[in-house]
Amino acid sequence: MLKSQTPTSSTLPVSHTEGSHYFYAPRGRGFRIYRRESQSSAIPMPDEPVYLNREQARRRVYQLNGWNFDKRKMEKSITHDSQSSHEAH
């Protein structure tokens, strides 16, 4: 993979906690799972598919990082995000 295809420090999402090693980022029409190597570099996970749905990618990242997934909290977050985007239009 070319270096230009790997997320840079400016595009790396803010970590959920200090112990997060995995995150997802948009890749084309889907979301790719990455493993954080350092504060400024990350590599794509070759065994992970490109997820077509942000929710699926988010759940997988939670699994990989060993976090508890609270479905109710996540649904509230998604609902809030979609309402905000509709209000912007």
Side-chain angles (χ1 to χ4, degrees):
M1 171 169 263
L2 298 174
K3 185 176 177 137
S4 64
Q5 293 176 322
T6 304
T8 62
S9 60
S10 62
T11 62
L12 293 177
V14 176
S15 65
H16 181 73
T17 64
E18 288 296 320
S20 66
H21 299 288
Y22 300 94
F23 65 95
Y24 67 92
R27 177 79 173 143
R29 292 184 176 187
F31 298 89
R32 185 85 195 242
I33 306 290
Y34 294 88
R35 185 177 71 213
R36 193 178 313 279
E37 293 291 303
S38 69
Q39 288 268 332
S40 61
S41 69
I43 59 171
M45 297 299 297
D47 296 338
E48 291 292 328
V50 173
Y51 292 89
L52 300 177
N53 178 307
R54 180 184 301 263
E55 179 68 16
Q56 291 171 336
R58 187 180 301 190
R59 285 177 188 235
R60 182 63 179 142
V61 166
Y62 268 64
Q63 247 182 353
L64 291 169
N65 284 321
W67 299 335
N68 290 327
F69 183 82
D70 185 350
K71 186 176 179 180
R72 292 170 297 166
K73 185 176 182 180
M74 204 57 63
E75 286 172 354
K76 183 177 179 182
S77 172
I78 292 168
T79 303
H80 180 351
D81 290 347
S82 65
Q83 286 175 349
S84 296
S85 65
H86 288 299
E87 291 171 1
H89 294 294

